[in-house]
Coordinates of all heavy atoms in Angstrom, one line a residue:
M77 N 29.0 62.3 9.6 CA 30.4 62.1 10.0 C 30.4 61.3 11.3 O 29.7 61.7 12.2 CB 31.1 63.4 10.1 CG 32.6 63.2 10.1 SD 33.5 64.8 10.1 CE 33.6 65.2 11.8
S78 N 31.2 60.2 11.4 CA 31.2 59.4 12.6 C 32.1 60.1 13.7 O 33.0 60.8 13.3 CB 31.8 58.0 12.3 OG 33.1 58.1 12.0
R79 N 31.7 59.9 14.9 CA 32.4 60.5 16.0 C 33.7 59.7 16.3 O 33.7 58.5 16.2 CB 31.5 60.5 17.2 CG 30.3 61.3 17.1 CD 29.5 61.4 18.3 NE 28.6 62.5 18.2 CZ 28.1 63.1 19.2 NH1 28.3 62.7 20.4 NH2 27.3 64.1 19.0
P80 N 34.8 60.4 16.6 CA 36.0 59.7 16.9 C 35.9 58.9 18.2 O 35.2 59.3 19.1 CB 37.0 60.8 17.1 CG 36.2 62.0 17.5 CD 34.9 61.9 16.8
A81 N 36.6 57.8 18.2 CA 36.7 57.0 19.5 C 37.7 57.7 20.4 O 38.7 58.3 19.9 CB 37.2 55.6 19.2
I82 N 37.4 57.7 21.7 CA 38.2 58.4 22.6 C 38.9 57.5 23.6 O 38.2 56.6 24.2 CB 37.4 59.5 23.3 CG1 36.9 60.5 22.3 CG2 38.2 60.2 24.5 CD1 36.0 61.6 22.9
L83 N 40.2 57.7 23.8 CA 40.9 56.9 24.8 C 41.3 57.8 26.0 O 41.9 58.9 25.8 CB 42.2 56.4 24.1 CG 43.1 55.4 24.9 CD1 42.3 54.1 25.1 CD2 44.4 55.2 24.2
I84 N 40.9 57.4 27.2 CA 41.3 58.2 28.4 C 42.3 57.4 29.2 O 42.0 56.2 29.5 CB 40.0 58.5 29.2 CG1 39.1 59.5 28.4 CG2 40.4 59.1 30.6 CD1 37.8 59.8 29.1
V85 N 43.4 57.9 29.5 CA 44.4 57.2 30.3 C 44.3 57.7 31.7 O 44.6 58.9 32.0 CB 45.8 57.5 29.7 CG1 46.9 56.7 30.6 CG2 45.9 57.0 28.3
G86 N 43.9 56.8 32.6 CA 43.7 57.1 34.0 C 42.3 57.1 34.4 O 41.5 57.9 33.9
G87 N 41.9 56.2 35.3 CA 40.5 56.0 35.7 C 40.3 56.6 37.1 O 39.6 56.0 38.0
G88 N 40.9 57.8 37.4 CA 40.6 58.5 38.6 C 39.3 59.2 38.5 O 38.5 59.0 37.5
I89 N 39.0 60.1 39.4 CA 37.8 60.8 39.4 C 37.6 61.7 38.1 O 36.6 61.8 37.5 CB 37.6 61.7 40.7 CG1 36.1 62.0 40.9 CG2 38.5 62.9 40.7 CD1 35.9 62.6 42.3
G90 N 38.8 62.2 37.7 CA 38.8 63.1 36.5 C 38.5 62.2 35.2 O 37.6 62.6 34.4
G91 N 39.2 61.1 35.1 CA 39.1 60.3 33.9 C 37.7 59.7 33.8 O 37.1 59.6 32.7
L92 N 37.2 59.2 34.9 CA 35.9 58.5 34.9 C 34.8 59.5 34.7 O 33.8 59.2 34.0 CB 35.7 57.7 36.2 CG 36.6 56.5 36.4 CD1 36.3 55.8 37.7 CD2 36.4 55.5 35.2
T93 N 34.9 60.7 35.2 CA 33.9 61.7 35.0 C 33.9 62.1 33.6 O 32.8 62.3 32.9 CB 34.1 62.9 36.0 OG1 34.1 62.5 37.3 CG2 33.0 64.0 35.8
A94 N 35.0 62.3 33.0 CA 35.1 62.7 31.6 C 34.5 61.6 30.7 O 33.8 61.8 29.8 CB 36.6 63.0 31.2
A95 N 34.9 60.3 31.1 CA 34.4 59.2 30.3 C 32.8 59.1 30.4 O 32.2 58.9 29.4 CB 35.0 57.9 30.9
A96 N 32.3 59.3 31.6 CA 30.8 59.3 31.7 C 30.2 60.4 30.9 O 29.2 60.1 30.2 CB 30.4 59.4 33.2
G97 N 30.7 61.6 30.9 CA 30.1 62.7 30.2 C 30.2 62.4 28.7 O 29.3 62.7 27.9
L98 N 31.4 62.0 28.2 CA 31.6 61.7 26.8 C 30.7 60.6 26.3 O 30.2 60.6 25.2 CB 33.1 61.4 26.5 CG 34.0 62.7 26.6 CD1 35.4 62.2 26.8 CD2 33.8 63.6 25.5
A99 N 30.6 59.5 27.1 CA 29.7 58.4 26.7 C 28.3 58.9 26.6 O 27.6 58.5 25.7 CB 29.9 57.3 27.8
Q100 N 27.8 59.7 27.5 CA 26.5 60.2 27.4 C 26.3 61.1 26.2 O 25.2 61.2 25.7 CB 26.1 61.0 28.7 CG 25.8 60.1 29.8 CD 25.5 60.9 31.1 OE1 25.2 62.0 31.1 NE2 25.7 60.2 32.2
A101 N 27.4 61.7 25.7 CA 27.3 62.6 24.5 C 27.4 61.7 23.3 O 27.4 62.3 22.2 CB 28.4 63.6 24.6
G102 N 27.5 60.4 23.4 CA 27.5 59.5 22.3 C 28.9 59.1 21.7 O 28.9 58.4 20.7
F103 N 29.9 59.4 22.5 CA 31.3 59.0 22.0 C 31.6 57.6 22.6 O 31.1 57.2 23.7 CB 32.3 60.0 22.6 CG 32.3 61.3 21.9 CD1 31.5 62.3 22.4 CD2 33.0 61.5 20.7 CE1 31.5 63.6 21.8 CE2 32.9 62.8 20.1 CZ 32.2 63.8 20.6
A104 N 32.3 56.8 21.8 CA 32.8 55.5 22.3 C 34.1 55.8 23.1 O 35.1 56.3 22.5 CB 33.1 54.6 21.1
V105 N 34.1 55.5 24.4 CA 35.2 55.8 25.2 C 35.8 54.6 25.8 O 35.1 53.7 26.3 CB 34.7 56.7 26.4 CG1 35.9 57.2 27.3 CG2 33.9 57.9 25.9
T106 N 37.1 54.5 25.8 CA 37.8 53.5 26.5 C 38.7 54.1 27.6 O 39.4 55.1 27.3 CB 38.7 52.7 25.5 OG1 37.9 52.1 24.5 CG2 39.5 51.6 26.2
V107 N 38.6 53.6 28.8 CA 39.5 54.1 29.9 C 40.5 53.0 30.2 O 40.2 51.9 30.4 CB 38.6 54.3 31.2 CG1 39.5 54.8 32.3 CG2 37.5 55.3 30.9
L108 N 41.8 53.5 30.2 CA 42.9 52.6 30.6 C 43.3 53.0 32.0 O 43.6 54.2 32.2 CB 44.1 52.8 29.6 CG 43.8 52.4 28.1 CD1 45.1 52.5 27.3 CD2 43.3 50.9 28.0
E109 N 43.4 52.0 32.9 CA 43.8 52.3 34.3 C 44.9 51.4 34.6 O 44.8 50.2 34.4 CB 42.6 52.1 35.2 CG 42.9 52.1 36.7 CD 43.7 53.4 37.1 OE1 43.3 54.5 36.8 OE2 44.8 53.2 37.8
A110 N 46.0 52.0 35.2 CA 47.2 51.2 35.6 C 46.9 50.3 36.8 O 47.5 49.2 36.9 CB 48.3 52.1 35.8
A111 N 46.1 50.8 37.7 CA 45.8 50.0 38.9 C 45.1 48.7 38.6 O 44.3 48.6 37.7 CB 45.0 50.8 39.9
P112 N 45.4 47.6 39.3 CA 44.8 46.3 39.0 C 43.3 46.2 39.3 O 42.6 45.4 38.7 CB 45.6 45.3 39.9 CG 46.2 46.1 40.9 CD 46.4 47.5 40.4
A113 N 42.9 47.1 40.2 CA 41.4 47.1 40.5 C 41.0 48.4 41.1 O 41.9 49.2 41.6 CB 41.2 46.0 41.6
F114 N 39.7 48.7 41.0 CA 39.2 49.9 41.6 C 38.8 49.6 43.0 O 38.3 48.5 43.3 CB 37.9 50.4 40.9 CG 38.3 51.0 39.5 CD1 38.0 50.3 38.4 CD2 38.8 52.3 39.4 CE1 38.3 50.8 37.1 CE2 39.1 52.8 38.1 CZ 38.9 52.1 37.0
G115 N 39.1 50.5 43.9 CA 38.7 50.3 45.3 C 39.0 51.5 46.1 O 39.4 52.6 45.6
E116 N 38.6 51.4 47.4 CA 38.8 52.6 48.3 C 40.3 52.9 48.5 O 41.0 51.9 48.8 CB 38.1 52.4 49.6 CG 36.6 52.5 49.5 CD 35.9 52.4 50.8 OE1 36.5 52.7 51.8 OE2 34.7 52.0 50.8
I117 N 40.6 54.1 48.4 CA 42.0 54.6 48.8 C 41.9 55.7 49.7 O 41.2 56.7 49.4 CB 42.8 55.0 47.5 CG1 42.9 53.8 46.5 CG2 44.2 55.5 47.9 CD1 43.5 54.2 45.1
G118 N 42.6 55.6 50.9 CA 42.5 56.7 51.8 C 41.3 56.7 52.6 O 40.5 55.8 52.7
A119 N 41.1 57.8 53.3 CA 40.0 57.9 54.3 C 38.7 58.5 53.7 O 37.6 58.1 54.2 CB 40.4 58.8 55.5
G120 N 38.8 59.3 52.7 CA 37.6 59.9 52.2 C 37.9 61.1 51.4 O 39.1 61.5 51.3
V121 N 36.9 61.7 50.8 CA 37.2 62.9 50.0 C 36.1 63.9 50.2 O 34.9 63.5 50.2 CB 37.4 62.5 48.5 CG1 36.2 61.9 47.9 CG2 37.9 63.7 47.7
T122 N 36.4 65.1 50.3 CA 35.4 66.2 50.4 C 35.1 66.7 49.0 O 36.0 67.1 48.3 CB 35.9 67.4 51.3 OG1 36.3 66.8 52.5 CG2 34.9 68.4 51.4
L123 N 33.8 66.6 48.6 CA 33.4 67.1 47.3 C 32.7 68.4 47.4 O 31.7 68.6 48.0 CB 32.5 66.0 46.7 CG 33.2 64.7 46.4 CD1 32.2 63.6 46.0 CD2 34.3 64.8 45.3
S124 N 33.3 69.4 46.7 CA 32.8 70.7 46.7 C 31.5 70.8 45.9 O 31.2 69.9 45.1 CB 33.8 71.7 46.1 OG 33.9 71.4 44.7
P125 N 30.7 71.9 46.0 CA 29.5 72.0 45.2 C 29.8 71.9 43.7 O 29.0 71.4 42.9 CB 29.0 73.4 45.6 CG 29.4 73.6 47.0 CD 30.8 72.9 47.1
N126 N 30.9 72.5 43.3 CA 31.3 72.4 41.9 C 31.5 70.9 41.4 O 31.0 70.5 40.3 CB 32.6 73.1 41.6 CG 32.4 74.6 41.6 OD1 31.3 75.1 41.6 ND2 33.5 75.3 41.5
A127 N 32.1 70.1 42.3 CA 32.3 68.7 42.0 C 30.9 68.0 41.9 O 30.7 67.2 41.0 CB 33.2 68.0 43.0
M128 N 30.0 68.3 42.8 CA 28.7 67.7 42.8 C 27.9 68.1 41.5 O 27.2 67.3 41.0 CB 27.9 68.0 44.1 CG 28.6 67.4 45.3 SD 28.8 65.6 45.2 CE 27.2 65.0 45.4
R129 N 28.2 69.3 41.1 CA 27.5 69.7 39.8 C 28.0 68.8 38.7 O 27.3 68.5 37.8 CB 27.8 71.2 39.5 CG 26.9 72.1 40.3 CD 26.7 73.4 39.7 NE 25.8 74.1 40.4 CZ 24.9 75.0 39.9 NH1 24.9 75.2 38.6 NH2 24.1 75.6 40.6
G130 N 29.3 68.5 38.7 CA 29.9 67.7 37.7 C 29.2 66.3 37.7 O 28.8 65.7 36.7
F131 N 29.0 65.8 38.9 CA 28.4 64.5 39.0 C 26.9 64.6 38.6 O 26.4 63.6 38.1 CB 28.5 64.0 40.5 CG 29.9 63.4 40.8 CD1 30.6 63.9 41.9 CD2 30.4 62.4 40.1 CE1 31.8 63.5 42.2 CE2 31.7 61.9 40.4 CZ 32.4 62.5 41.4
D132 N 26.3 65.7 38.9 CA 24.9 65.9 38.5 C 24.8 65.8 37.0 O 23.9 65.2 36.4 CB 24.4 67.2 39.0 CG 22.9 67.3 38.9 OD1 22.2 66.3 38.8 OD2 22.4 68.5 38.9
F133 N 25.7 66.5 36.3 CA 25.8 66.5 34.8 C 25.9 65.1 34.2 O 25.3 64.8 33.2 CB 27.0 67.4 34.4 CG 27.1 67.5 32.9 CD1 26.3 68.2 32.1 CD2 28.1 66.8 32.3 CE1 26.4 68.3 30.7 CE2 28.3 66.8 30.9 CZ 27.4 67.6 30.1
T134 N 26.7 64.3 34.9 CA 26.9 62.9 34.4 C 25.8 61.9 34.9 O 25.9 60.7 34.6 CB 28.3 62.4 34.8 OG1 28.4 62.4 36.2 CG2 29.4 63.2 34.1
G135 N 24.9 62.4 35.7 CA 23.8 61.5 36.3 C 24.3 60.7 37.4 O 23.6 59.8 37.8
C136 N 25.4 61.0 38.0 CA 25.9 60.2 39.1 C 25.7 60.9 40.5 O 26.1 60.3 41.5 CB 27.4 60.0 39.0 SG 27.9 59.2 37.4
M137 N 25.1 62.1 40.6 CA 25.1 62.8 41.8 C 24.4 62.1 43.0 O 24.9 62.0 44.1 CB 24.4 64.2 41.6 CG 24.5 65.0 42.9 SD 23.9 66.7 42.7 CE 22.2 66.4 42.8
E138 N 23.2 61.5 42.7 CA 22.5 60.9 43.8 C 23.2 59.6 44.3 O 23.2 59.4 45.5 CB 21.0 60.6 43.4 CG 20.2 61.8 43.1 CD 20.2 62.8 44.3 OE1 20.3 62.4 45.5 OE2 20.2 64.0 44.0
K139 N 23.8 58.9 43.4 CA 24.6 57.7 43.9 C 25.8 58.1 44.7 O 26.1 57.5 45.7 CB 25.1 56.9 42.7 CG 24.0 56.0 42.1 CD 24.6 55.0 41.1 CE 23.5 54.1 40.6 NZ 23.9 53.4 39.4
V140 N 26.5 59.2 44.3 CA 27.6 59.7 45.0 C 27.1 60.2 46.4 O 27.7 59.9 47.4 CB 28.4 60.8 44.3 CG1 29.4 61.5 45.1 CG2 29.0 60.2 43.0
A141 N 26.0 61.0 46.4 CA 25.5 61.5 47.6 C 25.1 60.4 48.6 O 25.3 60.5 49.8 CB 24.3 62.5 47.3
A142 N 24.5 59.4 48.0 CA 24.1 58.2 48.9 C 25.2 57.5 49.5 O 25.1 56.9 50.6 CB 23.2 57.3 48.1
A143 N 26.4 57.6 48.9 CA 27.6 56.9 49.5 C 28.3 57.8 50.5 O 29.3 57.3 51.1 CB 28.6 56.6 48.3
G144 N 27.9 59.0 50.7 CA 28.6 59.9 51.6 C 27.7 60.5 52.6 O 26.6 60.0 52.8
V145 N 28.2 61.5 53.3 CA 27.4 62.3 54.2 C 27.5 63.8 53.9 O 28.5 64.2 53.3 CB 27.8 62.1 55.7 CG1 27.6 60.7 56.2 CG2 29.3 62.5 55.9
E146 N 26.4 64.5 54.2 CA 26.5 66.0 54.0 C 26.8 66.6 55.3 O 25.9 66.7 56.2 CB 25.2 66.4 53.4 CG 25.0 66.1 52.0 CD 23.7 66.7 51.4 OE1 23.5 67.9 51.6 OE2 23.0 66.0 50.6
P147 N 28.0 67.1 55.5 CA 28.3 67.7 56.8 C 27.6 69.0 57.0 O 27.3 69.8 56.1 CB 29.8 68.0 56.7 CG 30.1 68.1 55.2 CD 29.1 67.2 54.6
K148 N 27.1 69.2 58.2 CA 26.4 70.5 58.6 C 27.3 71.6 58.9 O 27.0 72.8 58.8 CB 25.5 70.2 59.8 CG 24.5 69.1 59.5 CD 23.5 69.4 58.4 CE 22.6 68.2 58.1 NZ 22.2 68.2 56.7
R149 N 28.6 71.2 59.3 CA 29.5 72.2 59.7 C 30.9 71.7 59.3 O 31.2 70.5 59.4 CB 29.4 72.4 61.2 CG 30.3 73.5 61.7 CD 29.9 73.8 63.2 NE 28.6 74.4 63.3 CZ 27.6 73.8 64.0 NH1 27.8 72.7 64.7 NH2 26.4 74.4 64.1
Q150 N 31.8 72.6 58.9 CA 33.2 72.2 58.6 C 34.1 73.0 59.5 O 34.0 74.2 59.6 CB 33.5 72.4 57.1 CG 34.8 72.0 56.7 CD 35.0 72.3 55.2 OE1 34.1 72.8 54.5 NE2 36.2 71.9 54.7
R151 N 35.1 72.3 60.2 CA 36.0 73.0 61.0 C 37.4 72.6 60.7 O 37.7 71.4 60.5 CB 35.7 72.6 62.5 CG 36.5 73.5 63.5 CD 36.1 73.3 64.9 NE 36.2 72.0 65.3 CZ 35.7 71.5 66.5 NH1 35.1 72.4 67.3 NH2 35.9 70.3 66.9
I152 N 38.2 73.6 60.5 CA 39.7 73.4 60.2 C 40.4 73.6 61.5 O 40.3 74.7 62.1 CB 40.1 74.3 59.0 CG1 39.4 73.9 57.8 CG2 41.6 74.1 58.8 CD1 39.6 74.9 56.6
Q153 N 41.2 72.6 61.9 CA 41.9 72.7 63.2 C 43.4 72.8 63.0 O 43.9 72.2 62.0 CB 41.5 71.5 64.1 CG 40.1 71.5 64.4 CD 39.7 70.3 65.2 OE1 39.0 69.4 64.7 NE2 40.2 70.2 66.5
H154 N 44.1 73.4 64.0 CA 45.5 73.4 64.0 C 46.0 71.9 64.2 O 45.5 71.2 65.1 CB 46.0 74.3 65.1 CG 47.5 74.6 65.0 ND1 48.5 73.7 65.3 CD2 48.1 75.7 64.5 CE1 49.6 74.3 65.1 NE2 49.4 75.5 64.6
W155 N 47.0 71.5 63.4 CA 47.4 70.1 63.5 C 48.1 69.8 64.8 O 48.1 68.6 65.2 CB 48.4 69.8 62.4 CG 49.7 70.5 62.4 CD1 50.0 71.8 62.1 CD2 51.0 69.9 62.9 NE1 51.3 72.1 62.3 CE2 51.9 70.9 62.8 CE3 51.3 68.7 63.3 CZ2 53.3 70.7 63.1 CZ3 52.7 68.5 63.6 CH2 53.6 69.5 63.5
Q156 N 48.7 70.8 65.6 CA 49.4 70.5 66.8 C 48.5 70.5 68.0 O 48.5 69.6 68.8 CB 50.6 71.5 67.0 CG 51.8 71.1 66.1 CD 52.9 72.2 66.2 OE1 52.6 73.4 66.2 NE2 54.1 71.7 66.4
D157 N 47.7 71.6 68.2 CA 47.0 71.7 69.4 C 45.5 71.6 69.2 O 44.7 71.7 70.2 CB 47.3 73.0 70.1 CG 47.0 74.2 69.2 OD1 46.2 74.1 68.2 OD2 47.6 75.3 69.5
G158 N 45.0 71.3 68.0 CA 43.6 71.1 67.8 C 42.7 72.4 67.8 O 41.5 72.3 67.7
R159 N 43.4 73.5 68.0 CA 42.7 74.8 68.0 C 41.9 75.0 66.7 O 42.4 74.7 65.6 CB 43.7 75.9 68.2 CG 43.3 77.3 68.3 CD 44.5 78.1 68.8 NE 45.8 77.6 68.3 CZ 46.5 78.2 67.3 NH1 46.1 79.2 66.6 NH2 47.7 77.7 67.0
A160 N 40.6 75.4 66.9 CA 39.8 75.7 65.7 C 40.3 76.9 65.0 O 40.4 78.0 65.6 CB 38.3 75.8 66.1
L161 N 40.7 76.8 63.7 CA 41.2 77.9 62.9 C 40.1 78.6 62.1 O 40.1 79.8 61.9 CB 42.3 77.5 62.0 CG 43.5 76.8 62.7 CD1 44.5 76.3 61.6 CD2 44.2 77.9 63.5
L162 N 39.1 77.7 61.7 CA 38.0 78.2 60.8 C 36.9 77.3 60.9 O 37.0 76.1 60.9 CB 38.5 78.3 59.4 CG 37.6 78.8 58.3 CD1 37.3 80.3 58.5 CD2 38.2 78.5 56.9
T163 N 35.7 77.9 61.1 CA 34.5 77.1 61.1 C 33.5 77.6 60.1 O 33.3 78.8 60.0 CB 33.8 77.1 62.5 OG1 34.7 76.7 63.5 CG2 32.6 76.3 62.6
L164 N 33.1 76.7 59.2 CA 32.2 77.1 58.1 C 30.8 76.3 58.3 O 30.8 75.1 58.5 CB 32.8 76.7 56.8 CG 34.1 77.4 56.5 CD1 34.8 76.7 55.3 CD2 33.9 78.9 56.1
E165 N 29.7 77.1 58.3 CA 28.4 76.4 58.3 C 28.1 75.9 56.9 O 28.3 76.5 55.9 CB 27.3 77.5 58.7 CG 27.6 78.0 60.1 CD 27.6 77.0 61.2 OE1 26.9 76.0 61.1 OE2 28.3 77.2 62.2
R166 N 27.7 74.6 56.9 CA 27.5 73.9 55.6 C 26.0 73.4 55.5 O 25.7 72.8 54.4 CB 28.4 72.7 55.5 CG 29.9 73.1 55.4 CD 30.2 73.9 54.1 NE 31.6 74.0 53.8 CZ 32.1 74.9 53.0 NH1 31.3 75.8 52.5 NH2 33.4 75.0 52.8
A167 N 25.2 73.7 56.5 CA 23.8 73.1 56.4 C 23.0 73.5 55.2 O 22.2 72.8 54.7 CB 23.1 73.4 57.7
D168 N 23.3 74.7 54.7 CA 22.5 75.3 53.6 C 23.2 75.1 52.3 O 22.9 75.8 51.3 CB 22.2 76.7 53.9 CG 23.4 77.6 54.0 OD1 24.5 77.0 54.1 OD2 23.3 78.8 53.9
A169 N 24.2 74.2 52.2 CA 25.1 74.2 51.0 C 24.3 73.9 49.7 O 24.5 74.5 48.7 CB 26.2 73.1 51.2
R170 N 23.3 72.9 49.8 CA 22.5 72.6 48.6 C 21.7 73.8 48.1 O 21.7 74.1 46.9 CB 21.6 71.4 48.9 CG 22.3 70.1 48.8 CD 21.2 69.0 48.5 NE 21.8 67.7 48.7 CZ 21.6 66.7 47.8 NH1 20.8 66.8 46.8 NH2 22.2 65.5 48.0
E171 N 21.1 74.5 49.0 CA 20.3 75.6 48.6 C 21.2 76.8 48.1 O 20.9 77.4 47.1 CB 19.4 76.2 49.8 CG 18.4 75.2 50.3 CD 18.9 74.0 51.1 OE1 19.9 74.2 51.8 OE2 18.4 72.9 51.0
K172 N 22.3 77.0 48.9 CA 23.2 78.1 48.6 C 23.8 77.9 47.2 O 24.0 78.9 46.5 CB 24.2 78.2 49.7 CG 25.0 79.5 49.7 CD 25.8 79.6 51.0 CE 26.6 80.8 51.1 NZ 27.5 80.8 52.3
Y173 N 24.3 76.7 46.9 CA 25.1 76.5 45.7 C 24.3 75.8 44.6 O 24.8 75.5 43.6 CB 26.4 75.8 46.0 CG 27.2 76.5 47.0 CD1 27.3 76.2 48.3 CD2 27.9 77.7 46.5 CE1 28.1 76.9 49.2 CE2 28.7 78.4 47.4 CZ 28.9 78.0 48.7 OH 29.6 78.7 49.6
Ligands
LIG84 C1 45.6 62.8 50.9 C2 44.8 63.5 49.8 C3 43.6 64.1 50.2 C4 42.8 64.7 49.3 N1 41.6 65.2 49.7 C5 40.8 65.8 48.8 C6 39.5 66.3 49.1 O1 39.0 66.1 50.3 N2 38.7 66.9 48.2 C7 39.1 67.0 46.9 O2 38.4 67.6 46.1 N3 40.4 66.6 46.5 C8 41.2 66.0 47.4 N4 42.4 65.5 47.0 C9 42.8 65.8 45.7 C10 42.1 64.7 44.8 O3 42.3 63.4 45.3 C11 42.7 64.8 43.4 O4 42.6 66.2 42.9 C12 42.0 64.0 42.4 O5 41.9 62.6 42.9 C13 42.6 64.0 41.1 O6 41.9 63.2 40.2 P1 42.5 62.8 38.9 O7 41.4 61.9 38.2 O8 42.9 64.0 38.1 O9 43.8 62.0 39.2 P2 44.1 60.6 40.1 O10 43.0 60.4 41.0 O11 45.5 60.7 40.4 O12 43.8 59.5 38.9 C14 44.8 59.3 38.0 C15 44.7 57.8 37.6 O13 45.5 57.5 36.5 C16 46.1 56.3 36.7 N5 47.3 56.3 35.9 C17 48.4 57.1 36.0 N6 49.3 56.9 35.0 C18 48.7 56.0 34.2 C19 49.2 55.3 33.0 N7 50.3 55.6 32.4 N8 48.4 54.4 32.5 C20 47.2 54.1 33.0 N9 46.7 54.7 34.2 C21 47.5 55.6 34.8 C22 46.4 56.2 38.2 O14 46.5 54.9 38.6 C23 45.1 56.9 38.7 O15 44.1 55.9 39.0 C24 43.2 64.9 47.9 C25 44.4 64.3 47.6 C26 45.2 63.6 48.5 C27 46.5 63.0 48.1

């Protein structure tokens, strides 16, 4: 039995990750994206260990990692006075997760 062709509407991180996974599983995938071109939007994105596992599954993890930085520490600050509200150690994230 032939596999169905799959149409994904939206080439954001969700659509493209689904497309990569489905293509690797042997499906013919077409992605429709409304934006005229792919490019950087905004300042950046923090990718959680779960997200990196998704990229690992699709074979994209090392490329994604190479395009970013692995923070050793994460601090959440108050928007008005800059006071540190929460500090999380991240140096062991790869081993931990
Ligand atoms: C300011 C900001 C900061 C964020 N920071 C983080 C962060 O640090 N870490 C994190 O994990 N998440 C962050 N998020 C959330 C994260 O960006 C979203 O959860 C994620 O991008 C959603 O991905 P998506 O593929 O589901 O949707 P989107 O990225 O919204 O992609 C949907 C795509 O579909 C296209 N589209 C829509 N309608 C149609 C149509 N009818 N036809 C064709 N194409 C269409 C759109 O053009 C778009 O490219 C942030 C969000 C914002 C706004």
Side-chain angles (χ1 to χ4, degrees):
M77 197 172 87
S78 66
R79 295 185 164 201
I82 295 177
L83 186 68
I84 294 176
V85 179
I89 200 168
L92 291 180
T93 303
L98 288 163
Q100 283 177 23
F103 290 92
V105 185
T106 301
V107 179
L108 298 182
E109 169 52 50
F114 290 103
E116 285 185 26
I117 300 172
V121 62
T122 303
L123 296 169
S124 68
N126 285 351
M128 293 307 286
R129 281 204 175 215
F131 284 125
D132 193 22
F133 178 75
T134 58
C136 303
M137 186 175 79
E138 291 309 326
K139 279 188 179 170
V140 172
V145 293
E146 286 187 42
K148 304 297 175 211
R149 187 171 293 120
Q150 181 178 4
R151 187 167 64 187
I152 297 170
Q153 295 176 250
H154 195 283
W155 69 282
Q156 281 175 315
D157 58 19
R159 179 167 35 101
L161 300 175
L162 181 67
T163 302
L164 300 163
E165 298 301 326
R166 295 296 194 199
D168 62 346
R170 277 203 191 222
E171 295 73 34
K172 196 170 176 182
Y173 298 105

